[in-house]
Amino acid sequence: EVHLVESGGVLVQAGGSLRLSCTASGFTFSTSGMTWVRQAPGKGREWVSGINSEGDKINYADSVKGRFTVSRDSAKNTLSLQLNSLKLEDTAVYYCVKSPWGSYYVMDGWGNGTLVTVSS
């Protein structure tokens, strides 16, 4: 069973930085593409970033490009998201999900997410 646990979300001031982590289990992480998705209060889910199994193909949403960086450590079964130059609109619950490269609409392993709150 795909199981993903996000962590690292806290209250942070605008312009600050944060690093989120996702620990995976129940599947072969090293051969699986992964995706970060977020959901702001009262809004729908928004795709943030995707990374293939090898980690050499990465895509970002225009809203975070240049500010966020996704990475993975297959030996540790972990996925990370570095958030820099945070803006108020980045406030959301962030989720990591298992998703094939090129098919981000196919998502598996939804967990509880981790809340990032950006203050002015």
Side-chain angles (χ1 to χ4, degrees), residues 21-118:
S21 295
C22 170
T23 300
S25 62
F27 67 101
T28 306
F29 179 78
S30 62
T31 60
S32 300
M34 299 294 292
T35 293
W36 282 101
V37 174
R38 68 184 182 183
Q39 185 168 24
K43 298 183 179 179
R45 289 173 176 171
E46 175 190 17
W47 176 82
V48 175
S49 180
I51 184 170
N52 70 343
S53 60
E54 297 180 351
D56 60 350
K57 293 182 179 178
I58 298 172
N59 283 157
Y60 298 98
D62 289 339
S63 59
V64 307
K65 192 173 298 182
R67 298 189 298 118
F68 291 7
T69 302
V70 66
S71 61
R72 64 188 300 154
D73 186 339
S74 293
K76 297 181 179 180
N77 281 10
T78 58
L79 180 74
S80 299
L81 185 67
Q82 179 68 41
L83 302 80
N84 296 328
S85 302
L86 284 163
K87 303 176 180 180
L88 294 177
E89 52 264 42
D90 292 321
T91 294
V93 175
Y94 286 73
Y95 303 87
C96 65
V97 292
K98 178 177 179 290
S99 183
W101 178 260
S103 300
Y104 296 157
Y105 55 89
V106 180
M107 302 179 180
D108 191 20
W110 292 98
N112 294 323
T114 186
L115 177 63
V116 173
T117 302
V118 183

